[in-house]
């Protein structure tokens, strides 16, 4: 290079010092540039060769109320839809969490907390494991069982596993199940109650992380046929549809259920006066009864049983007209319209709203159970605290039934990515709460400006695994920050029309399948037509927050506002966002400028021109307060 060119280059650099300023290009690069496989497309949807294995269950189990135990058999039909031979199979044994030497118990903090196991005398007692009617070699390690097959299971083939088992029902099962003493008897909320298959998928192979307590579940889909034998004076409710009402209900109860199936108002099936009077509420006077349920295309089932239940029900109106019912069961201690007397109303409203707004509810019933668990969800069944009342009962009911969309319909891996169900569910709860009874319980979310400080409280990113994140942070990382992110995506970045379409398409494409976080990111980008890597990286994988600032303004011609003005704004936070700037002139004239997020690609300051006619009275960023800006004091000059 000649000396003349060197002189010109030096002069250019001196005159234009920002030309080599650091830009934010890496922030806007795609989250992943890995070539997707035929199983999952670059658009974020299942590919032409997508596969997932199928699991069908037949379960027969009996309750020993005196010993607080369950004992029975599960027969599993496992279909290998993968392109691989499987020399062994993995099953989940979640009840083993409640052994004294379980990993979950040994990794529990001294403070205990929500996910403690309560009594530790539980765990599975497995007496027989057979594959295709032959004894099978198996190894049990904590909450997992490996079955080593005599011959590898070939692609497209099926095998049948039969397991005889039993377990002691913990009084407090990590707030997911357990027993609640009431005036008229024990309420048993039963979940994680049968050995179930681990998921083998195209992303991680066998997903066999241990169950420690905080991390929830990841299950394949199939049909369930299950029978629960209980003392004659018990009522059983469970996932799916009751198959033998004539055997377990009285003629009056069947008539009341038929009435409820055609009523938008709550109908009593067993009222408070009838609780404890088995001669009127039970079709037999002694012994046991077996309740038979079926559930199709589900990832799990749960049930509850007690002789203490009040029971009421009503019709759920689905967009397609398909029949569906809301049920509530609760003890006398929880009755009344200020408490569980409104549970069925809440359940019905929640299911109807989500079915209309996002995706139709696929199950024949939605059952709310009052008991020990403060709030836990299963397909078609929710366990909520028997102490909940009013707005609190609405909130927990709506949240737990919202989980039927995430992760029951959209089957994400909760053990690794809790935000894909808890955060998404918290987001859809905002809209259902606003809609319920003309806003009876408010807006569903605090004002944005009140949420700006969320960044200061975060110690771990959203992507942190649930069993690692501190319990104090779990609410922020799994629930509130991801929900807030979806609010920003809908209300600020994309707008409701683009967001709703892309979000519904994501649900539709992945219904009863297994998406990953990257599938969600790409599906939203493809469906909305927007590159969002900058948002995924900073909001979902980072710890920072939003802080936009007005640096100042100057007129194009000094002392002549009629010639227009230059305004300088900056992004002082870690999360870039589109900028809305409102300029108010003396006399009240207002001008709004909507700047895209791409202004921050070149750096963290942006200067732009605005036409003015009079002196500027103020310049304000985010005038409608749509952003959770953690330093709003610098938003206006």
């Amino acid at each position: 290079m000649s000396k003349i060119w060197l002189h010109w280059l030096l002069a250019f650099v001196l005159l234009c010092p920002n030309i080599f300023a650091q830009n934010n290009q890496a922030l806007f690069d795609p989250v992943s540039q890995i070539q997707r496989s035929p199983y999952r497309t670059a658009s974020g949807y299942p590919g032409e060769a997508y596969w997932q294995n199928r699991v069908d269950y037949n379960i027969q189990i009996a309750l020993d109320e005196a010993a607080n135990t369950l004992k029975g058999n599960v027969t599993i039909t496992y279909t290998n839809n993968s392109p691989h031979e499987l020399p062994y199979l993995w099953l989940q044994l979640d009840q083993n969490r409640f052994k004294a030497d379980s990993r979950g118990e040994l990794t529990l903090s001294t403070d205990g907390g929500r996910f403690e196991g309560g009594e530790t005398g539980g765990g599975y007692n497995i007496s027989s494991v057979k594959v295709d009617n032959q004894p099978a070699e198996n190894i049990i390690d904590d909450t997992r069982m490996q079955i080593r097959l005599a011959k590898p299971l070939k692609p497209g083939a099926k095998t049948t596993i039969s397991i005889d088992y039993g377990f002691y029902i913990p009084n407090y099962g990590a707030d997911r199940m357990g027993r609640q003493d009431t005036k008229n008897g024990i309420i048993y909320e039963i979940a994680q109650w049968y050995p179930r298959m681990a998921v083998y998928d195209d992303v991680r192979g066998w997903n066999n992380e241990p169950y420690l307590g905080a991390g929830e579940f990841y299950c394949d889909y199939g049909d369930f046929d299950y029978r629960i034998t209980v003392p004659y004076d018990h009522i059983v409710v469970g996932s799916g549809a009751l198959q033998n009402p004539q055997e377990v209900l009285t003629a009056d109860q069947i008539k009341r259920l038929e009435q409820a199936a055609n009523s938008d108002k709550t109908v009593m099936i067993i009222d408070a006066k009838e609780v404890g009077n088995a001669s009127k509420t039970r079709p037999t006077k002694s012994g046991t009864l077996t309740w038979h349920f079926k559930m199709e295309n589900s990832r799990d089932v749960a049930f509850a049983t007690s002789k203490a239940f009040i029971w009421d029900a009503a019709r759920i109106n689905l967009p397609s007209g398909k029949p569906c019912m809301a049920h509530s069961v609760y003890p006398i201690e929880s009755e009344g319209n200020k408490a569980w007397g409104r549970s069925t109303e809440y359940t019905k409203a929640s299911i109807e709203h989500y079915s209309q707004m996002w995706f139709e509810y696929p199950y024949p019933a939605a059952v709310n159970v009052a008991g020990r668990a403060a709030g836990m969800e299963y397909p078609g069944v929710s366990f909520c605290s028997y102490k909940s009342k009013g707005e609190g009962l609405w909130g927990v009911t709506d949240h737990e039934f919202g989980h039927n969309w995430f992760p029951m319909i959209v089957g994400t891996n909760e053990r690794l990515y809790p935000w894909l169900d808890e955060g998404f569910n918290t987001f859809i709860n905002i809209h259902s709460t606003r809609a319920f009874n003309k806003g009876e319980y408010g807006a569903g979310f605090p004002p944005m400006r009140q949420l700006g400080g969320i960044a200061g409280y975060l110690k771990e990113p959203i992507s942190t695994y649930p069993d690692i994140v501190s319990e104090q942070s779990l609410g922020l990382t799994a629930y509130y920050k991801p929900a807030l992110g979806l609010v920003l995506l809908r209300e600020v970045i994309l707008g409701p029309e683009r967001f709703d379409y892309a979000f519904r398409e994501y649900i539709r494409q992945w219904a009863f399948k297994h998406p990953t976080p990257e599938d969600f990111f790409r599906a939203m980008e493809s469906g909305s037509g927007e590159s969002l890597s900058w948002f995924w990286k900073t909001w979902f994988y980072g710890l920072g927050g939003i802080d936009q600032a007005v640096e100042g303004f100057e007129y194009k011609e000094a002392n002549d506002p009629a010639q227009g003005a230059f305004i300088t704004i900056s992004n002082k936070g870690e999360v870039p966002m589109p900028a809305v700037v409102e300029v108010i002139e003396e006399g009240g004239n207002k001008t709004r400028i909507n700047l895209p997020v791409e202004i921050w690609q070149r750096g963290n300051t942006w200067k732009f021109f605005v036409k003015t006619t009079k002196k500027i009275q103020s310049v304000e960023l985010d005038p409608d307060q749509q952003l959770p800006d953690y330093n709003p004091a610098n938003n206006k000059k």
Side-chain angles (χ1 to χ4, degrees):
M1 183 180 290
S2 70
K3 291 183 178 180
I4 294 176
W5 280 105
L6 285 172
H7 286 305
W8 275 107
L9 179 60
L10 179 61
F12 185 68
V13 170
L14 292 173
L15 290 171
C16 305
N18 291 328
I19 194 67
F20 295 116
Q22 183 177 4
N23 62 43
N24 292 321
Q25 183 59 47
L27 197 63
F28 287 79
D29 284 340
V31 172
S32 172
Q33 296 186 13
I34 298 173
Q35 183 68 37
R36 302 312 298 272
S37 74
Y39 308 137
R40 296 166 191 267
T41 70
S43 296
Y45 303 133
E48 65 275 14
Y50 176 83
W51 57 266
Q52 68 187 42
N53 292 346
R54 178 183 175 90
V55 192
D56 299 305
Y57 295 89
N58 189 298
I59 313 169
Q60 300 183 54
I61 202 163
L63 170 69
D64 184 336
E65 190 174 26
N68 290 322
T69 59
L70 286 169
K71 187 176 182 180
N73 170 273
V74 58
T75 299
I76 303 169
T77 302
Y78 187 68
T79 305
N80 179 19
N81 291 320
S82 82
H84 313 129
E85 285 192 350
L86 302 178
Y88 52 82
L89 308 175
W90 281 101
L91 284 79
Q92 303 178 60
L93 303 180
D94 298 314
Q95 283 298 320
N96 284 356
R97 163 63 184 83
F98 307 117
K99 289 186 173 183
D101 61 350
S102 72
R103 292 191 188 190
E105 194 65 25
L106 295 174
T107 56
L108 190 68
S109 72
T110 55
D111 296 331
R114 178 184 175 190
F115 303 111
E116 64 178 328
E119 297 170 285
T120 55
Y124 278 120
N125 177 18
I126 293 176
S127 57
S128 173
V129 179
K130 294 182 178 180
V131 173
D132 296 331
N133 294 319
Q134 297 299 316
E137 180 184 2
N138 65 89
I139 301 295
I140 294 176
D141 177 54
D142 195 52
T143 58
R144 293 82 51 87
M145 173 196 283
Q146 184 188 55
I147 295 179
R148 297 170 179 174
L149 301 175
K151 294 181 179 180
L153 185 64
K154 294 185 178 299
K158 297 182 179 181
T159 192
T160 300
I161 305 162
S162 178
I163 302 174
D164 294 334
Y165 70 99
F167 64 90
Y168 177 74
I169 303 166
N171 65 336
Y172 180 73
D175 205 22
R176 311 218 185 275
M177 59 167 297
R179 314 188 314 264
Q180 178 62 53
D181 290 326
T182 74
K183 176 182 177 181
N184 292 298
I186 299 171
I187 294 174
Y188 295 91
E189 294 174 311
I190 306 298
Q192 295 86 56
W193 57 284
Y194 56 94
R196 57 187 177 180
M197 296 299 303
V199 174
Y200 181 77
D201 63 24
D202 64 287
V203 179
R204 295 170 58 88
W206 284 107
N207 289 262
N208 49 19
E209 289 77 17
Y211 175 43
L212 302 180
E216 292 184 310
F217 309 107
Y218 186 35
C219 307
D220 270 322
Y221 291 88
D223 295 342
F224 290 79
D225 188 326
Y226 65 103
R227 292 169 171 83
I228 312 296
T229 300
V230 295
Y232 77 97
D233 53 358
H234 274 232
I235 295 294
V236 181
V237 291
S239 302
L242 180 64
Q243 301 298 299
N244 60 338
Q246 290 79 10
E247 297 175 15
V248 296
L249 300 176
T250 67
D252 282 345
Q253 289 164 356
I254 292 172
K255 288 180 182 178
R256 293 172 187 177
L257 281 170
E258 290 172 351
Q259 180 184 351
N262 294 289
S263 173
D264 286 322
K265 299 294 184 181
T266 300
V267 174
M268 300 306 301
I269 313 304
I270 297 175
D271 64 26
K273 294 178 181 179
E274 295 172 318
V275 173
N277 189 348
S279 62
K280 289 187 176 181
T281 61
R282 305 285 67 240
T284 187
K285 307 302 181 186
S286 62
T288 61
L289 290 172
T290 297
W291 297 63
H292 181 197
F293 294 86
K294 287 186 178 181
M295 181 75 150
E296 295 179 352
N297 198 24
S298 181
R299 57 180 255 160
D300 195 9
V301 289
F303 71 94
T305 180
S306 181
K307 57 186 177 184
F309 282 149
I310 296 172
W311 181 7
D312 63 44
R315 175 180 63 199
I316 293 174
N317 300 302
L318 297 178
S320 69
K322 183 178 65 176
C324 184
M325 289 183 67
H327 301 262
S328 296
V329 289
Y330 48 95
I332 285 175
E333 291 90 331
S334 304
E335 72 170 326
N337 281 335
K338 292 184 178 180
W340 276 76
R342 294 188 70 185
S343 168
T344 291
E345 175 194 354
Y346 295 161
T347 300
K348 170 182 165 66
S350 179
I351 298 294
E352 289 178 351
H353 172 84
Y354 298 131
S355 295
Q356 189 67 45
M357 187 161 185
W358 303 116
F359 187 93
E360 184 168 291
Y361 185 72
Y363 309 124
V367 186
N368 206 12
V369 180
R372 182 69 184 271
M376 187 59 200
E377 71 282 355
Y378 301 98
V381 175
S382 293
F383 296 162
C384 299
S385 172
Y386 78 104
K387 297 179 181 179
S388 293
K389 297 179 179 180
E391 184 175 0
L393 180 58
W394 158 259
V396 69
T397 299
D398 182 50
H399 181 79
E400 303 313 332
F401 280 111
H403 273 302
N404 280 275
W405 281 262
F406 308 102
M408 307 309 169
I409 294 172
V410 181
T412 52
N413 187 340
E414 300 175 274
R415 197 154 293 175
L416 298 183
Y417 313 114
W419 59 273
L420 279 176
D421 70 289
E422 297 293 359
F424 286 27
N425 187 25
T426 301
F427 166 72
I428 65 174
N429 297 160
I430 297 169
H431 300 281
S432 57
T433 297
R434 289 173 181 168
F436 176 67
N437 205 19
K438 299 180 179 179
E440 178 179 353
Y441 294 128
F445 216 58
M448 280 294 172
R449 282 285 169 87
Q450 293 182 17
L451 298 172
I454 193 172
Y457 291 100
L458 278 173
K459 306 302 179 186
E460 297 138 313
I462 288 172
S463 56
T464 308
Y465 293 165
D467 288 312
I468 299 173
V469 70
S470 64
E471 190 170 336
Q472 294 77 14
S473 297
L474 185 62
L476 287 174
T477 61
Y479 294 71
Y480 297 109
K481 192 183 180 190
L484 177 54
L486 294 187
V487 171
L488 292 172
L489 197 57
R490 184 179 194 266
E491 306 300 332
V492 177
I493 300 170
L494 297 178
E497 184 177 5
R498 283 202 293 165
F499 176 92
D500 289 355
Y501 176 80
F503 199 54
R504 289 181 188 126
E505 191 65 10
Y506 165 73
I507 297 171
R508 187 184 73 83
Q509 292 274 359
W510 286 106
F512 313 107
K513 297 182 177 69
H514 297 312
T516 66
E518 191 176 72
D519 292 319
F520 168 69
F521 297 152
R522 291 296 300 128
M524 291 303 294
E525 292 183 349
S526 298
S528 68
E530 196 75 29
S531 177
L532 298 166
S533 291
W534 56 272
F535 187 57
W536 311 134
K537 290 176 183 178
T538 58
W539 193 263
F540 288 88
Y541 290 102
L543 289 174
I546 298 169
D547 180 20
Q548 295 183 347
V550 176
E551 298 296 338
F553 60 88
E554 57 184 347
Y555 299 112
K556 182 178 180 182
E557 299 291 341
N559 301 317
D560 187 3
Q563 300 302 313
F566 291 102
I567 295 171
T568 302
I569 61 175
S570 66
N571 179 48
K572 295 181 178 296
E574 298 77 15
V575 181
M577 291 291 289
V580 178
V581 185
E582 184 172 80
V583 179
I584 301 179
E585 301 175 28
E586 290 181 352
N589 183 56
K590 296 181 180 180
T591 301
R592 280 208 178 182
I593 303 94
N594 294 288
L595 297 168
V597 72
E598 284 82 3
I599 62 174
W600 309 121
Q601 278 186 298
R602 299 178 183 177
N604 291 322
T605 61
W606 184 254
K607 186 176 182 179
F608 62 96
F609 179 75
V610 62
K611 293 180 180 180
T612 56
T613 57
K614 296 181 180 181
K615 285 186 176 181
I616 293 175
Q617 180 176 303
S618 66
V619 176
E620 183 177 7
L621 273 161
D622 187 29
D624 298 326
Q625 300 187 13
Q626 287 188 300
L627 300 179
D629 192 307
Y630 62 73
N631 184 20
N634 62 16
N635 281 31
K636 187 174 182 179
K637 281 196 175 182

